[in-house]
């Protein structure tokens, strides 16, 4: 459905739990929201990070685990049910210098205009950029085990996962079902993953954790990944692990490049919001000054992990999406100026 309006009430950029929750709230408020859900935006399918995982066990309302892609499909259906118009396009430019704001999607010559914009674009997986990686990226090296585990070349083969957060723990557990052995390379000796995920990994006899260890190089024969050169960063000792797959789970960089410094970002490219609100600041704005409220970029909101360095969960993304939806609704109803 397209139904273009000259000036949209609200444009939502991004289609994860944050974007869809904002859509459900603004659609139920009869604001006729328009969502750009992204077209493989930075390599992630519409629906966001949960489309790259399997069982979600910690989203309320599902006593049995629900598959990530199914949860996102249900959120999308719920957004549409209340009237959200969804376009499968990636936004590559915004202009917040004049009102109404402008939002341009890839492949379109003219921007759309909006009275309020909700940014919920979260992030792209980080890479290590070690020698050998560039040439074989998305073949034997990947940042999404769940997307690629089914490829026959990984079955019954030794595999390597880099990282020690929840994603790494989840990916290692998953890969252990298909690989002959999974090595986890952990750059420190401390764990970042939650207790539940740590337990899952520790109790898995097919997973070996190598602490204080980093990947240095991907080693090839003519066409295959043969191994990963690793180094113990405490002793300096190097060796080659035999491996057929290398999976990164080392975090993400927020998808904020397209904002082109119009919104205040922190040193890791996360959007800075006014605490406990979805309000963003104009760039440049001074950090930690009393003038901060004056620097709020009115009626642009950020929701989800793109503004949350700490919790980064589906439910907390949904929570901030609800706040953005409610604040947009208040503004458009004239309750706030
Ligand atoms: P996302 O869900 O990432 O959605 C953002 C989406 O916006 C992108 O996919 C993209 O399609 C779109 N987009 C991006 N840029 C643009 C653009 N310029 N224009 C248009 N669209 C754009 N959390 C849990 O609570 N439970 C779990 O079990 C769990 N498992 C996880 C497993 C993995 C492997 C990973 C990586 C994360 C997991 N998380 C889990 C964390 C959870 O996925 C995130 O907290 C949540 O998805 C963040 O929601 P979001 O809406 O902020 O961003
Ligand atoms: P995190 O940022 O939590 O973890 C990244 C991991 O990668 C850390 O162990 C980090 O090490 C390591 N790392 C970072 N850079 C490098 C590098 N250059 N070389 C080697 N290792 C590196 O990211 P995740 O993707 O794991 O998690 C993101 C969010 O998603 C979290 O909030 C998490 O809770 C959530 N999530 C929840 C799940 C669930 O609830 N089931 C499943 C998956 C994710 P160090 O610790 O040393 O910094």
């Amino acid at each position: 459905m397209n139904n273009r309006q000259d000036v949209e009430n609200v444009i939502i950029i991004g289609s994860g739990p944050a974007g869809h929750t904002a859509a459900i709230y603004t659609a139920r408020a009869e604001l006729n929201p328009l969502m750009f859900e992204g077209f493989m935006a930075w390599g992630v399918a519409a629906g966001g990070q949960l489309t790259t995982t399997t069982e979600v066990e910690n989203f309320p309302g599902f006593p049995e685990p629900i598959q990530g892609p199914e949860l996102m499909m249900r959120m999308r259906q719920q957004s549409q049910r209340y009237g959200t118009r969804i376009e499968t396009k990636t936004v590559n430019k915004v202009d917040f210098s004049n009102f109404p704001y402008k939002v341009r999607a890839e492949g379109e010559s003219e921007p759309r205009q909006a009275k309020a914009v909700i940014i919920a674009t979260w992030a792209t997986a980080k890479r290590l950029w070690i020698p050998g990686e560039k040439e074989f990226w998305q073949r034997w090296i990947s940042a999404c085990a769940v997307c690629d585990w089914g490829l026959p070349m990984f079955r019954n083969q030794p595999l390597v996962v880099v990282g020690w957060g929840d994603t790494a723990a989840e990916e290692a557990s998953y890969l252990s079902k298909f690989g002959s052995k999974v090595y986890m390379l952990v750059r420190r000796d401390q764990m970042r993953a939650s207790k539940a995920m740590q337990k899952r990994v520790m109790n898995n006899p097919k997973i070996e954790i190598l602490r204080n260890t980093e990947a240095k190089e991907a080693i090839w024969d003519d066409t295959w990944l043969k191994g990963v050169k690793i180094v113990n960063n405490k002793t300096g000792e190097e060796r080659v692990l035999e491996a057929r797959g290398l999976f990164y789970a080392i975090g993400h960089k927020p998808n904020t490049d397209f904002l082109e410094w119009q919104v205040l970002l922190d040193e890791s490219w996360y959007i800075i919001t006014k605490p406990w609100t979805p309000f963003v600041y104009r760039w440049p704005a001074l950090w930690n000054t009393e003038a901060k409220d004056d620097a709020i970029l009115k009626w642009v909101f950020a929701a989800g992990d793109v503004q949350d360095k700490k919790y980064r969960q589906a439910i907390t993304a949904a929570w901030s999406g609800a706040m953005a939806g409610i604040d947009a609704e208040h503004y458009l109803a004239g309750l706030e100026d």
Side-chain angles (χ1 to χ4, degrees):
M1 184 158 66
N2 197 340
N3 257 347
R4 278 197 194 193
Q5 291 179 190
D6 282 349
V7 180
E8 300 285 347
N9 288 323
V10 54
I11 291 181
I12 298 162
I13 311 173
S15 56
H20 278 299
T21 308
I24 292 162
Y25 274 76
T26 49
R28 289 191 70 250
E30 298 183 348
L31 295 177
N32 195 22
L34 171 64
M35 171 188 279
F36 286 110
E37 68 176 349
F39 178 71
M40 293 307 291
W42 287 280
V44 177
Q49 299 297 318
L50 287 184
T51 64
T52 69
T53 192
T54 51
E55 293 186 346
V56 177
E57 296 174 339
N58 51 10
F59 198 85
F62 299 93
E64 298 302 321
I66 180 166
Q67 297 291 310
E70 192 192 338
L71 179 60
M72 293 320 302
M73 194 188 66
R74 288 191 190 201
M75 287 192 200
R76 190 178 193 275
Q77 286 168 345
Q78 197 173 349
S79 296
Q80 286 184 310
R81 179 193 169 128
Y82 294 105
T84 305
R85 293 163 297 139
I86 300 180
E87 295 193 24
T88 310
K89 291 175 182 163
T90 300
V91 169
N92 58 12
K93 200 169 178 53
V94 290
D95 182 353
F96 298 144
S97 60
N98 287 302
F99 200 79
Y101 298 132
K102 293 180 187 60
V103 173
R104 200 181 67 197
E106 237 163 39
E108 295 195 349
S109 50
E110 289 301 314
R112 314 292 179 91
Q113 302 190 78
K115 295 176 195 163
V117 176
I118 298 175
I119 304 161
T121 47
W122 183 212
T124 306
K126 284 190 199 161
R127 293 169 59 173
L128 285 177
W129 302 105
I130 53 175
E133 173 182 319
K134 197 166 148 230
E135 297 82 346
F136 294 96
W137 181 248
Q138 301 294 29
R139 285 193 277 166
W140 288 274
I141 307 181
S142 151
C144 181
V146 179
C147 316
D148 297 332
W149 64 265
L151 300 174
M153 71 253 199
F154 296 136
R155 295 200 164 227
N156 299 314
Q157 300 290 338
L159 306 168
V160 174
V161 173
V162 184
W164 204 188
D166 280 330
T167 302
E170 191 170 275
E171 301 214 332
S173 308
Y174 203 64
L175 289 168
S176 71
K177 293 181 188 162
F178 309 98
S180 57
K181 167 147 193 129
V182 179
Y183 298 98
M184 286 186 81
L185 308 188
V186 181
R187 66 179 172 180
R188 296 184 295 154
D189 56 5
Q190 284 184 4
M191 306 166 183
R192 189 183 284 271
S194 60
K195 286 272 181 291
M197 299 301 276
Q198 285 182 31
K199 213 164 130 193
R200 198 184 289 184
V201 169
M202 301 289 201
N203 290 337
N204 188 324
K206 278 168 104 181
I207 300 177
E208 183 176 338
I209 298 165
L210 302 175
R211 294 163 199 267
N212 301 310
T213 302
E214 295 174 33
K216 237 189 137 185
E217 188 179 345
I219 314 275
W220 305 94
D221 57 20
D222 287 345
T223 42
W224 298 90
L225 178 71
K226 223 167 67 177
V228 179
K229 187 189 274 185
I230 58 170
V231 59
N232 181 309
N233 57 28
K234 283 259 153 77
T235 63
E237 184 197 336
E238 290 186 0
R239 66 184 167 114
V240 174
L241 287 178
E242 189 199 332
R244 268 290 158 88
L246 174 59
F247 297 89
Y248 295 158
I250 58 171
H252 293 78
K253 176 188 168 289
N255 288 325
T256 46
D257 292 0
F258 75 103
L259 298 171
E260 292 177 335
W261 303 103
Q262 295 178 69
V263 166
L264 188 64
L265 307 179
D266 75 3
E267 70 288 351
S268 312
W269 305 80
Y270 282 80
I271 297 177
I272 297 177
T273 48
K274 181 175 173 173
W276 307 106
T277 79
F279 289 95
V280 306
Y281 299 102
R282 203 173 276 115
W283 179 276
L286 298 175
W287 286 329
N288 302 320
T289 65
E290 286 169 12
K292 237 176 165 180
D293 266 3
D294 296 343
I296 282 176
L297 178 56
K298 278 193 172 171
W299 323 129
V300 176
F301 305 96
D305 290 3
V306 74
Q307 53 83 58
D308 174 10
K309 235 176 170 155
K310 184 174 176 189
Y311 299 104
R312 295 180 297 172
Q313 300 294 302
I315 192 66
T316 49
W319 163 66
S320 65
M323 292 201 302
I326 290 169
D327 278 334
E329 180 191 345
H330 281 185
Y331 152 60
L332 289 161
L335 299 178
E336 293 177 33
D337 58 17

